[in-house]
Amino acid sequence: MPPHGAGNLSAMPWQEFVLEGFQGGLQTQALLSALFLALYVAAVLGNLTMIVVITLDARLHSPMYFFLKNLSLLDLCYTSVIYPKALATFLSSSRVITLAGCTSQFFFFSLLITTEGFLLAVMAYDRFTAICSPLHYPVTMCPSACARLVLGSYCGGCLNSIVQTSLTFSLPFCGSNHINHFFCDVPPLLRLACTNTAINELLLFGICGLIIVGTTLLVLISYGYITVTILRMRSGAGRHKLFSTCGSHMTAVSLFYGTVFVMYAQPGAVESLQQGKVVSVFYTLVIPMLNPLIYSLRNKDVQEALRTLGQKLRAT
């Protein structure tokens, strides 16, 4: 692997890269392929189910479920940006991905993962408004306001993705074209650059750190107010229902922000590529697979909608 700043190496106009994926023989690759395929199918089916149920059941046509449907759409999309290609390369003798394919995968993954970070903060704000200002909630979170919040999340994700993609793929790549990962991501791509990447790493940590810290603070402040409001309630049943609903969101937020912070917003993240592969599997596949379970297992409205949908399907 060429070191950064290796002045004796000339930049090569690579038109394709090789995804190294995980180490191991054919048996290991087959096992990983089967495991990832099972998790991917579960993630796709779970998130598709959430989207269909929320769309078809009129009882779930509220801001909270509108945001949840968009969360499921994001999870479905960004797993599909990565894993069909990753699964195709596990047992293939050719693990090549073209420069255009790598760039587009990088762009859309960065867009979708950043958008999810913003959307989770929006969902916390939605719960804060619903619980702490219930009289103003119908006006504050009207359909047009919800649409603007989702659009704003996508715009923030798109802006970050444009910046990261432009900075990363404007670097001169030389020496090996083997990406030590199973998809095109910032840290392994920076390792292929034959110039000093300190500015890119600083911007990566700075932008990702700012997004993570900013959205996390919004979530923590929202749930701080929510907790105080719930504890003041006299109804034990009401407290239990609200804590259950908010607990699902906090679980999803903690899993997502925790793994993304480990991957992108800590010093040394670019160097820890082996650790990064495992962490990447967690937030790109395991969390999207778990989110539908987290939100459905502890939500009676979703459970009832699933039962109704199941009854309709059996009746037909």
Side-chain angles (χ1 to χ4, degrees), residues 221-239:
I221 292 170
S222 297
Y223 276 98
Y225 279 105
I226 287 171
T227 302
V228 172
T229 302
I230 292 175
L231 291 175
R232 288 176 179 172
M233 291 180 174
R234 296 181 180 180
S235 170
R239 283 200 301 268

Side-chain angles (χ1 to χ4, degrees), residues 150-185:
V150 171
L151 180 60
S153 298
Y154 275 95
C155 288
C158 187
L159 180 61
N160 177 60
S161 182
I162 290 172
V163 171
Q164 297 289 357
T165 305
S166 301
L167 288 173
T168 301
F169 286 92
S170 64
L171 290 170
F173 297 112
C174 56
S176 174
N177 65 337
H178 287 241
I179 298 175
N180 188 15
H181 214 307
F182 59 91
F183 71 99
C184 295
D185 200 8

Side-chain angles (χ1 to χ4, degrees), residues 240-259:
H240 176 74
K241 181 178 179 181
L242 290 174
F243 269 128
S244 178
T245 302
C246 296
S248 299
H249 185 242
M250 280 303 296
T251 302
V253 166
S254 301
L255 289 171
F256 179 82
Y257 285 137
T259 51

Side-chain angles (χ1 to χ4, degrees), residues 110-182:
S110 179
L111 185 157
L112 295 166
I113 201 78
T114 308
T115 301
E116 178 154 335
F118 286 125
L119 185 63
L120 287 170
V122 167
M123 293 171 71
Y125 174 71
D126 169 68
R127 291 298 82 207
F128 161 75
T129 309
I131 295 169
C132 300
S133 302
L135 297 179
H136 297 96
Y137 182 69
V139 176
T140 305
M141 302 303 290
C142 63
S144 60
C146 293
R148 286 195 296 270
L149 287 169
V150 171
L151 180 60
S153 298
Y154 275 95
C155 288
C158 187
L159 180 61
N160 177 60
S161 182
I162 290 172
V163 171
Q164 297 289 357
T165 305
S166 301
L167 288 173
T168 301
F169 286 92
S170 64
L171 290 170
F173 297 112
C174 56
S176 174
N177 65 337
H178 287 241
I179 298 175
N180 188 15
H181 214 307
F182 59 91

